[in-house]
Amino acid sequence: MLGPKTNNLVEARVDTAVARDQQFVHHFNLVVPALDNYIYQLFAIQHGIDLYPVKVPGTTQELRNEAEFTEWLPQRLSSPETRKIVSNLVAQAQS
């Protein structure tokens, strides 16, 4: 969805890995193809075999259920900080 909004200058991608403690870690990345596929990690979340709680590494944030997660995610994706980062990446890709 982000690609078309930025004329594909910035694309969104989620990469998933399993940590040593058997936690699933999902990295929400912004990729800039024009900058040699530069990757900016916007944020990450992690959870165990049970989907909840979801933790946001580097913060004390813990989302206890689907309702909390689905409320938090769009706020994070459309936050002023995220918008600024995307705008800066678009500007870099155009220069």
Side-chain angles (χ1 to χ4, degrees):
M1 191 158 196
L2 180 63
K5 289 182 179 182
T6 64
N7 292 321
N8 295 314
L9 293 172
V10 180
E11 300 171 353
R13 185 175 80 200
V14 178
D15 296 317
T16 301
V18 179
R20 289 184 186 204
D21 61 357
Q22 297 299 304
Q23 292 283 305
F24 292 92
V25 182
H26 307 283
H27 302 271
F28 289 72
N29 296 320
L30 301 175
V31 181
V32 187
L35 298 177
D36 199 23
N37 287 313
Y38 172 80
I39 297 173
Y40 180 90
Q41 182 177 298
L42 191 57
F43 61 91
I45 60 169
Q46 73 180 51
H47 60 83
I49 193 71
D50 293 323
L51 295 177
Y52 299 97
V54 170
K55 297 179 182 179
V56 182
T59 74
T60 59
Q61 186 108 34
E62 185 172 282
L63 308 162
R64 295 172 294 170
N65 53 50
E66 183 177 3
E68 287 184 7
F69 179 69
T70 57
E71 179 181 336
W72 173 83
L73 184 59
Q75 291 175 1
R76 180 63 176 97
L77 292 173
S78 64
S79 72
E81 177 187 4
T82 297
R83 290 177 185 269
K84 181 178 179 183
I85 291 166
V86 171
S87 177
N88 289 342
L89 291 173
V90 167
Q92 289 290 324
Q94 291 175 330
S95 63

